[in-house]
Amino acid sequence: MRVLGIETSCDESAAAVVEDGYKLLSSAISSSMDLHAAYGGVVPEIAARSHLEVVLPVIDEALKIAKVGWQDIDAISVTRGPGLGGSLLIGLTTARTLAIVKNKPLYGVNHVTAHVYANFLTKTSLPGYKLPKNQPKFPLLALIISGGHSQLVLFAHHFKYTVLGQTVDDAVGEAFDKVAKLLGLPYPGGPSISKAAINGNPETIKLPKARLDNRYDFSFSGLKTAVLRATQELCGKTYDFPSTQLSSLLTNQQKADIAASFQRVAIETLIRGVKQAVEEYSPASIVIAGGVAANQELRRQLVKVLPQQIEYTDIKLCTDNAAMVASLGYFMAKKNRPQADPYTLEIDPGLRM
Ligand code: KG4
Ligand code: ZN
């Protein structure tokens, strides 16, 4: 069964074709990231306009790379939330229209759940992908970490899961983005911080780790503020000095040290949750998913502390893509989840797992 996935929840317009949930035939992505870089974050109106311009060409590209025509597509899977309203609307309306015109079953999926399904892609003949050898097994522990979400979820099976914990304030990716902005490093912050951190000493700056009532919850807001205070102190400035001017007072070495110290504590916070959940629930597999799962230092540290083997997927499939949406769509079809009505399916920007 071949599923066409469509993803437009944030600044990536993406389409992909996946066979039987595991075989990646194509993954086309057009990002409007460059247009947002000047603003230090995604501008919803710019993102939506860009989706409108590129979503159809991106779908054509996905079909072309997969070497398939519409007759070879068995279903369409589309992200219906969470995400930016205007952006979701473009992808969803496109998917609904195509489902009607091409007479295909339609599945509306949760973007956060879809991130986990990137780990179910195990085969491809496309060049430049490094995929896991095996599909994850249940019970499956998933650490979902992106620009909008930080969650630890235990899947008993497909579509049967418990959210063990989540962030009580900022998502971890958001913290990476904000600390990068403070240090004057380019957007998106995650890759900038990890690059700067390579030359830094992670022990230079003492930063706190939050302790919460639910041991599986996360908090990154306090860490972000602690980085701001430490930076002010390093620059000899008080809290009323404009944070936007701090980066110009820092040397590259100081920036690297701050980035490395922040990254260390953020990673330790994530790993602490995973380790506790592994001890309590003994999952058969562990996966990491979402943009922050691209972080190489996190990958290295996790391998060191986990008692069992962990496989990572390609970085291109950690950040937003439509292959994960197509894979989840396949499992929805296979597990007889309800099809969406292409005449009434609506976006849900605040959709939760
Ligand atoms: O999953 P994603 O592409 O979009 C959302 O659903 O949010 O995640 C984007 C987030 C951004 O905050 C970005 O800074 C972060 O993932 N990110 C990283 C890395 N690459 C992307 N964070 C840490 N290290 C990275 N290498
Ligand atoms: Zn995402």
Side-chain angles (χ1 to χ4, degrees):
M1 178 179 187
R2 290 194 193 97
V3 180
L4 170 73
I6 300 174
E7 155 65 42
T8 63
S9 66
C10 191
D11 56 343
E12 265 92 26
S13 316
V17 182
V18 169
E19 194 171 290
D20 296 336
Y22 76 94
K23 194 169 178 197
L24 178 67
L25 301 184
S26 66
S27 176
I29 302 177
S30 170
S31 175
S32 58
M33 197 178 285
D34 293 350
L35 303 175
H36 308 287
Y39 305 94
V42 175
V43 184
E45 289 78 7
I46 295 178
R49 200 175 318 139
S50 169
H51 287 306
L52 194 57
E53 285 167 9
V54 303
V55 70
L56 288 175
V58 166
I59 291 170
D60 283 343
E61 194 189 339
L63 295 172
K64 197 173 150 205
I65 295 169
K67 300 193 181 75
V68 297
W70 279 104
Q71 70 282 1
D72 306 309
I73 298 296
D74 301 298
I76 298 174
S77 176
V78 63
T79 300
R80 57 181 287 259
L84 301 170
S87 291
L88 288 166
L89 205 52
I90 310 292
L92 194 96
T93 310
T94 306
R96 283 173 54 176
T97 311
L98 288 169
I100 295 166
V101 174
K102 307 288 184 189
N103 195 21
K104 306 287 177 188
L106 178 66
Y107 294 92
V109 309
N110 180 313
H111 175 87
V112 181
T113 313
H115 269 300
V116 175
Y117 281 76
N119 292 281
F120 282 83
L121 297 159
T122 52
K123 289 264 171 335
T124 190
S125 49
L126 297 172
Y129 281 90
K130 203 168 173 296
L131 302 181
K133 285 192 189 68
N134 306 292
Q135 283 197 335
K137 293 185 190 68
F138 296 99
L140 163 63
L141 179 70
L143 175 69
I144 313 172
I145 37 176
S146 71
H149 306 273
S150 310
Q151 295 187 329
L152 201 52
V153 184
L154 186 68
F155 286 77
H157 234 283
H158 293 289
F159 312 109
K160 190 165 182 292
Y161 54 75
T162 312
V163 178
L164 300 178
Q166 55 202 319
T167 180
V168 296
D169 40 56
D170 293 352
V172 59
E174 199 179 337
F176 270 88
D177 293 335
K178 286 180 179 161
V179 170
K181 201 168 179 178
L182 174 73
L183 300 180
L185 301 173
Y187 173 85
S192 303
I193 291 277
S194 42
K195 199 170 149 208
I198 293 170
N199 303 314
N201 177 352
E203 306 294 336
T204 330
I205 291 161
K206 296 280 161 279
L207 296 166
K209 245 177 270 162
R211 290 251 165 224
L212 300 161
D213 288 345
N214 172 5
R215 62 196 197 125
Y216 295 122
D217 277 344
F218 303 108
S219 164
F220 293 101
S221 171
L223 172 59
K224 186 190 68 190
T225 308
V227 173
L228 172 64
R229 297 284 174 259
T231 308
Q232 287 164 336
E233 206 182 309
L234 205 62
C235 296
K237 298 289 176 191
T238 51
Y239 68 90
D240 48 1
F241 185 80
S243 62
T244 48
Q245 291 174 26
L246 284 169
S247 68
S248 61
L249 304 175
L250 294 168
T251 64
N252 282 341
Q253 189 55 52
Q254 284 173 321
K255 287 183 188 182
D257 290 343
I258 296 169
S261 303
F262 159 76
Q263 178 173 260
R264 177 178 64 84
V265 176
I267 289 174
E268 281 174 2
T269 305
L270 295 171
I271 288 185
R272 182 177 65 193
V274 175
K275 221 173 143 227
Q276 285 169 351
V278 169
E279 280 159 17
E280 185 168 351
Y281 298 102
S282 309
S285 291
I286 304 155
V287 301
I288 57 172
V292 183
N295 189 283
Q296 296 295 343
E297 187 58 21
L298 170 67
R299 292 175 172 220
R300 273 193 292 275
Q301 297 301 333
L302 211 46
V303 166
K304 278 195 212 161
V305 302
L306 290 179
Q308 68 219 83
Q309 219 203 332
I310 177 164
E311 287 198 274
Y312 298 124
T313 191
D314 198 283
I315 282 168
K316 295 190 282 301
L317 297 173
C318 291
T319 45
D320 286 350
N321 67 86
M324 64 188 198
V325 174
S327 176
L328 175 53
Y330 165 79
F331 285 104
M332 286 188 79
K334 196 175 160 222
K335 301 287 170 191
N336 297 318
R337 303 293 292 179
Q339 282 179 28
D341 179 347
Y343 290 94
T344 59
L345 181 66
E346 284 188 33
I347 61 163
D348 186 347
L351 185 63
R352 297 172 74 91
M353 268 189 83

